[in-house]
Coordinates of all heavy atoms in Angstrom, one line a residue:
L248 N 109.7 -61.7 -30.5 CA 108.3 -61.6 -30.7 C 107.6 -61.2 -29.4 O 107.8 -61.8 -28.4 CB 107.7 -62.9 -31.3 CG 106.2 -62.9 -31.7 CD1 106.0 -62.0 -32.9 CD2 105.7 -64.3 -32.0
T249 N 106.7 -60.2 -29.5 CA 105.9 -59.7 -28.3 C 104.5 -60.1 -28.5 O 104.0 -60.6 -29.5 CB 106.1 -58.2 -28.1 OG1 105.6 -57.5 -29.2 CG2 107.6 -57.8 -28.0
L250 N 103.7 -59.8 -27.4 CA 102.3 -60.1 -27.4 C 101.6 -59.3 -28.4 O 100.6 -59.7 -29.1 CB 101.7 -59.8 -26.0 CG 100.3 -60.2 -25.7 CD1 100.2 -61.8 -25.8 CD2 99.8 -59.7 -24.4
S251 N 102.0 -58.1 -28.7 CA 101.3 -57.2 -29.7 C 101.5 -57.7 -31.1 O 100.8 -57.3 -32.0 CB 101.9 -55.8 -29.6 OG 101.7 -55.3 -28.3
D252 N 102.5 -58.5 -31.3 CA 102.8 -59.0 -32.7 C 101.9 -60.2 -33.1 O 101.9 -60.6 -34.2 CB 104.3 -59.4 -32.8 CG 105.2 -58.2 -32.6 OD1 104.8 -57.1 -32.9 OD2 106.3 -58.5 -32.0
L253 N 101.2 -60.7 -32.1 CA 100.4 -61.9 -32.4 C 99.1 -61.5 -33.2 O 98.6 -60.4 -33.1 CB 100.0 -62.6 -31.1 CG 101.1 -63.2 -30.2 CD1 100.5 -63.7 -29.0 CD2 101.8 -64.3 -31.0
P254 N 98.6 -62.4 -34.0 CA 97.4 -62.1 -34.8 C 96.2 -61.9 -33.8 O 96.2 -62.3 -32.7 CB 97.2 -63.3 -35.6 CG 98.5 -64.0 -35.7 CD 99.2 -63.7 -34.4
L255 N 95.1 -61.2 -34.3 CA 94.0 -60.9 -33.5 C 93.3 -62.2 -33.0 O 92.9 -62.3 -31.8 CB 93.0 -60.1 -34.3 CG 93.4 -58.6 -34.6 CD1 92.3 -57.9 -35.4 CD2 93.6 -57.9 -33.2
H256 N 93.2 -63.3 -33.8 CA 92.5 -64.4 -33.3 C 93.3 -65.2 -32.3 O 92.6 -65.8 -31.4 CB 92.3 -65.4 -34.6 CG 93.5 -66.0 -35.1 ND1 94.4 -65.4 -35.9 CD2 94.0 -67.3 -34.8 CE1 95.4 -66.2 -36.2 NE2 95.2 -67.4 -35.5
M257 N 94.6 -65.0 -32.2 CA 95.4 -65.6 -31.2 C 95.2 -64.9 -29.9 O 95.1 -65.4 -28.8 CB 96.9 -65.8 -31.6 CG 97.1 -66.7 -32.7 SD 98.9 -66.9 -33.1 CE 99.4 -67.8 -31.6
L258 N 95.2 -63.5 -30.0 CA 95.0 -62.7 -28.8 C 93.6 -63.0 -28.2 O 93.4 -63.0 -27.0 CB 95.1 -61.2 -29.1 CG 96.5 -60.8 -29.6 CD1 96.5 -59.3 -30.0 CD2 97.5 -60.9 -28.5
N259 N 92.6 -63.1 -29.1 CA 91.3 -63.4 -28.7 C 91.2 -64.8 -27.9 O 90.5 -64.9 -26.9 CB 90.3 -63.3 -29.9 CG 88.9 -63.2 -29.4 OD1 88.6 -62.4 -28.5 ND2 88.0 -63.9 -30.1
N260 N 91.9 -65.7 -28.5 CA 91.9 -67.1 -27.8 C 92.6 -67.0 -26.4 O 92.2 -67.7 -25.5 CB 92.7 -68.1 -28.7 CG 91.9 -68.5 -29.9 OD1 90.7 -68.4 -30.0 ND2 92.6 -68.9 -31.0
I261 N 93.6 -66.2 -26.3 CA 94.2 -66.0 -25.0 C 93.2 -65.4 -24.0 O 93.1 -65.9 -22.8 CB 95.5 -65.1 -25.1 CG1 96.5 -65.8 -25.9 CG2 96.0 -64.7 -23.7 CD1 97.7 -64.9 -26.2
L262 N 92.5 -64.4 -24.4 CA 91.5 -63.8 -23.5 C 90.4 -64.8 -23.1 O 89.9 -64.8 -22.0 CB 90.9 -62.6 -24.2 CG 91.7 -61.4 -24.2 CD1 91.1 -60.3 -25.1 CD2 92.0 -60.8 -22.9
Y263 N 90.0 -65.7 -24.0 CA 89.0 -66.7 -23.7 C 89.5 -67.8 -22.8 O 88.7 -68.6 -22.3 CB 88.5 -67.3 -25.0 CG 87.3 -66.6 -25.6 CD1 87.5 -65.5 -26.5 CD2 86.0 -67.0 -25.4 CE1 86.5 -64.8 -27.0 CE2 84.9 -66.3 -26.0 CZ 85.2 -65.2 -26.8 OH 84.2 -64.5 -27.3
R264 N 90.8 -67.9 -22.6 CA 91.3 -68.8 -21.6 C 91.3 -68.4 -20.2 O 91.5 -69.2 -19.3 CB 92.8 -69.2 -22.0 CG 92.9 -69.9 -23.4 CD 92.2 -71.2 -23.4 NE 92.5 -72.0 -24.6 CZ 91.8 -71.9 -25.7 NH1 90.8 -71.0 -25.8 NH2 92.1 -72.6 -26.8
F265 N 91.1 -67.1 -20.0 CA 91.0 -66.5 -18.6 C 89.7 -66.9 -17.9 O 88.6 -66.7 -18.5 CB 91.3 -65.0 -18.7 CG 92.7 -64.6 -19.0 CD1 93.6 -65.6 -19.2 CD2 93.0 -63.3 -19.0 CE1 94.9 -65.2 -19.5 CE2 94.3 -62.9 -19.3 CZ 95.3 -63.9 -19.6
S266 N 89.8 -67.2 -16.7 CA 88.6 -67.4 -15.9 C 88.3 -66.4 -14.8 O 87.3 -66.5 -14.1 CB 88.7 -68.8 -15.1 OG 89.9 -68.8 -14.3
D267 N 89.2 -65.4 -14.8 CA 89.0 -64.3 -13.8 C 88.8 -63.0 -14.6 O 89.6 -62.6 -15.5 CB 90.2 -64.2 -12.9 CG 90.0 -63.2 -11.7 OD1 89.1 -62.3 -11.8 OD2 90.7 -63.4 -10.7
G268 N 87.7 -62.3 -14.3 CA 87.4 -61.0 -15.0 C 88.4 -60.0 -14.8 O 88.7 -59.2 -15.7
W269 N 89.0 -59.9 -13.6 CA 90.0 -58.9 -13.3 C 91.3 -59.1 -14.2 O 92.0 -58.1 -14.5 CB 90.4 -58.9 -11.8 CG 89.4 -58.2 -11.0 CD1 88.5 -58.8 -10.1 CD2 89.0 -56.8 -10.9 NE1 87.7 -57.9 -9.5 CE2 88.0 -56.7 -10.0 CE3 89.5 -55.7 -11.6 CZ2 87.4 -55.4 -9.7 CZ3 89.0 -54.5 -11.3 CH2 87.9 -54.3 -10.4
D270 N 91.6 -60.4 -14.5 CA 92.8 -60.6 -15.3 C 92.5 -60.2 -16.8 O 93.4 -59.6 -17.4 CB 93.0 -62.1 -15.3 CG 93.6 -62.7 -14.0 OD1 94.1 -61.8 -13.3 OD2 93.4 -63.9 -13.7
I271 N 91.2 -60.3 -17.2 CA 90.9 -59.8 -18.5 C 91.0 -58.3 -18.6 O 91.5 -57.7 -19.6 CB 89.4 -60.2 -18.9 CG1 89.4 -61.7 -19.0 CG2 89.0 -59.6 -20.2 CD1 88.0 -62.3 -19.3
I272 N 90.5 -57.6 -17.5 CA 90.6 -56.1 -17.5 C 92.1 -55.7 -17.4 O 92.5 -54.7 -18.1 CB 89.9 -55.6 -16.3 CG1 88.4 -55.8 -16.5 CG2 90.1 -54.1 -16.1 CD1 87.5 -55.4 -15.3
T273 N 92.9 -56.4 -16.6 CA 94.3 -56.0 -16.5 C 95.0 -56.2 -17.9 O 95.8 -55.3 -18.3 CB 95.0 -56.8 -15.5 OG1 94.3 -56.7 -14.2 CG2 96.4 -56.5 -15.3
L274 N 94.7 -57.3 -18.6 CA 95.4 -57.5 -19.9 C 94.9 -56.5 -20.9 O 95.6 -56.1 -21.8 CB 95.1 -58.9 -20.4 CG 95.8 -59.3 -21.7 CD1 97.3 -59.3 -21.5 CD2 95.4 -60.8 -22.1
G275 N 93.7 -56.1 -20.8 CA 93.1 -55.1 -21.7 C 93.8 -53.7 -21.6 O 93.6 -52.9 -22.5
Q276 N 94.5 -53.5 -20.5 CA 95.2 -52.2 -20.3 C 96.5 -52.1 -20.9 O 97.2 -51.1 -20.9 CB 95.3 -51.9 -18.8 CG 93.9 -51.7 -18.1 CD 94.1 -51.6 -16.6 OE1 95.2 -51.7 -16.0 NE2 93.0 -51.2 -15.9
V277 N 97.0 -53.2 -21.5 CA 98.3 -53.3 -22.1 C 98.4 -52.5 -23.4 O 99.3 -51.6 -23.6 CB 98.7 -54.7 -22.3 CG1 100.1 -54.8 -23.0 CG2 98.8 -55.5 -21.0
T278 N 97.5 -52.8 -24.3 CA 97.5 -52.1 -25.6 C 96.0 -51.8 -26.0 O 95.1 -52.4 -25.5 CB 98.1 -53.0 -26.7 OG1 97.3 -54.2 -26.8 CG2 99.5 -53.4 -26.4
P279 N 95.8 -50.8 -26.9 CA 94.5 -50.5 -27.4 C 93.8 -51.7 -28.1 O 92.6 -51.8 -27.9 CB 94.7 -49.3 -28.4 CG 96.0 -48.7 -28.0 CD 96.9 -49.8 -27.5
T280 N 94.6 -52.5 -28.7 CA 94.0 -53.7 -29.4 C 93.4 -54.7 -28.4 O 92.3 -55.2 -28.5 CB 95.0 -54.4 -30.3 OG1 95.5 -53.5 -31.2 CG2 94.4 -55.6 -31.0
L281 N 94.2 -54.9 -27.3 CA 93.7 -55.8 -26.2 C 92.6 -55.2 -25.5 O 91.6 -55.9 -25.1 CB 94.9 -56.1 -25.3 CG 96.0 -57.1 -25.8 CD1 97.1 -57.1 -24.9 CD2 95.4 -58.4 -26.1
Y282 N 92.5 -53.9 -25.4 CA 91.4 -53.3 -24.7 C 90.1 -53.5 -25.5 O 89.0 -53.8 -25.0 CB 91.7 -51.8 -24.5 CG 90.5 -51.0 -24.0 CD1 90.1 -51.1 -22.6 CD2 89.6 -50.3 -24.8 CE1 89.1 -50.4 -22.1 CE2 88.5 -49.6 -24.3 CZ 88.2 -49.7 -22.9 OH 87.2 -49.0 -22.4
M283 N 90.2 -53.4 -26.9 CA 89.1 -53.6 -27.8 C 88.6 -55.0 -27.6 O 87.4 -55.3 -27.5 CB 89.4 -53.3 -29.2 CG 88.3 -53.5 -30.2 SD 88.9 -53.4 -31.9 CE 90.0 -54.9 -31.9
L284 N 89.5 -56.0 -27.6 CA 89.1 -57.4 -27.5 C 88.5 -57.7 -26.1 O 87.6 -58.6 -26.0 CB 90.3 -58.3 -27.8 CG 90.9 -58.2 -29.2 CD1 92.1 -59.1 -29.3 CD2 89.8 -58.7 -30.2
S285 N 89.0 -57.0 -25.1 CA 88.6 -57.3 -23.7 C 87.2 -56.8 -23.4 O 86.5 -57.2 -22.4 CB 89.5 -56.7 -22.7 OG 89.5 -55.3 -22.8
E286 N 86.7 -55.9 -24.3 CA 85.3 -55.3 -24.1 C 84.2 -56.1 -24.9 O 83.1 -55.6 -25.0 CB 85.3 -53.9 -24.5 CG 86.1 -53.0 -23.6 CD 85.6 -52.9 -22.2 OE1 84.3 -52.8 -22.1 OE2 86.4 -52.9 -21.3
D287 N 84.6 -57.2 -25.5 CA 83.7 -58.0 -26.4 C 82.6 -58.6 -25.5 O 82.9 -59.2 -24.5 CB 84.5 -59.1 -27.1 CG 83.6 -59.9 -28.0 OD1 82.6 -59.4 -28.4 OD2 83.9 -61.1 -28.2
R288 N 81.3 -58.3 -25.9 CA 80.2 -58.8 -25.1 C 80.2 -60.3 -25.1 O 79.8 -60.9 -24.0 CB 78.9 -58.3 -25.7 CG 78.6 -56.8 -25.6 CD 77.3 -56.4 -26.3 NE 76.2 -57.1 -25.6 CZ 75.5 -58.1 -26.2 NH1 75.9 -58.5 -27.4 NH2 74.5 -58.7 -25.6
Q289 N 80.5 -61.0 -26.1 CA 80.5 -62.4 -26.2 C 81.5 -63.1 -25.2 O 81.2 -64.1 -24.6 CB 80.8 -63.0 -27.6 CG 80.6 -64.4 -27.9 CD 79.1 -64.7 -27.8 OE1 78.2 -63.9 -27.9 NE2 78.8 -66.0 -27.5
L290 N 82.6 -62.4 -25.0 CA 83.6 -62.9 -24.1 C 83.1 -62.8 -22.7 O 83.2 -63.8 -21.9 CB 84.9 -61.9 -24.2 CG 85.9 -62.2 -23.1 CD1 86.6 -63.6 -23.2 CD2 87.1 -61.1 -23.2
W291 N 82.5 -61.8 -22.3 CA 81.9 -61.7 -20.9 C 80.7 -62.6 -20.7 O 80.4 -63.1 -19.6 CB 81.6 -60.2 -20.6 CG 82.8 -59.4 -20.4 CD1 83.4 -58.6 -21.4 CD2 83.7 -59.4 -19.3 NE1 84.5 -58.0 -20.9 CE2 84.7 -58.4 -19.6 CE3 83.6 -60.0 -18.1 CZ2 85.7 -58.1 -18.7 CZ3 84.6 -59.6 -17.1 CH2 85.6 -58.7 -17.4
K292 N 80.0 -62.8 -21.8 CA 78.8 -63.7 -21.8 C 79.3 -65.2 -21.5 O 78.7 -65.9 -20.6 CB 78.0 -63.7 -23.1 CG 76.8 -64.6 -23.1 CD 76.0 -64.5 -24.4 CE 74.8 -65.4 -24.4 NZ 74.1 -65.4 -25.6
K293 N 80.4 -65.5 -22.1 CA 80.9 -66.9 -21.9 C 81.4 -67.0 -20.5 O 81.3 -68.1 -19.9 CB 82.0 -67.2 -22.9 CG 81.6 -67.3 -24.3 CD 80.8 -68.6 -24.5 CE 80.4 -68.8 -26.0 NZ 79.7 -70.1 -26.3
L294 N 82.0 -65.9 -20.0 CA 82.5 -66.0 -18.6 C 81.4 -66.1 -17.6 O 81.5 -66.9 -16.6 CB 83.3 -64.7 -18.4 CG 84.2 -64.7 -17.1 CD1 85.3 -65.8 -17.3 CD2 84.9 -63.3 -17.0
C295 N 80.3 -65.4 -17.8 CA 79.2 -65.5 -16.9 C 78.5 -66.9 -17.0 O 78.2 -67.5 -16.0 CB 78.1 -64.5 -17.3 SG 78.5 -62.8 -16.9
Q296 N 78.5 -67.5 -18.2 CA 77.9 -68.8 -18.4 C 78.7 -69.9 -17.7 O 78.3 -70.9 -17.3 CB 77.6 -69.1 -19.8 CG 76.5 -68.3 -20.5 CD 76.4 -68.5 -21.9 OE1 77.3 -69.0 -22.6 NE2 75.2 -68.1 -22.5
Y297 N 80.1 -69.6 -17.7 CA 81.0 -70.6 -17.1 C 80.9 -70.6 -15.6 O 80.8 -71.7 -15.0 CB 82.4 -70.3 -17.5 CG 83.5 -71.1 -16.8 CD1 83.7 -72.4 -17.2 CD2 84.2 -70.6 -15.8 CE1 84.6 -73.2 -16.5 CE2 85.1 -71.3 -15.1 CZ 85.3 -72.7 -15.5 OH 86.3 -73.4 -14.8

Side-chain angles (χ1 to χ4, degrees):
L248 186 67
T249 62
L250 189 64
S251 302
D252 299 327
L253 297 177
L255 289 179
H256 72 278
M257 295 186 66
L258 294 175
N259 199 40
N260 287 336
I261 293 175
L262 287 170
Y263 270 84
R264 296 296 186 273
F265 286 1
S266 61
D267 192 335
W269 285 110
D270 292 336
I271 295 177
I272 293 178
T273 303
L274 184 59
Q276 296 174 351
V277 177
T278 63
T280 302
L281 287 172
Y282 175 77
M283 177 190 67
L284 295 175
S285 66
E286 294 294 320
D287 183 24
R288 290 180 61 254
Q289 192 65 22
L290 171 64
W291 290 99
K292 180 180 179 180
K293 290 290 185 182
L294 194 63
C295 289
Q296 292 174 342
Y297 172 76

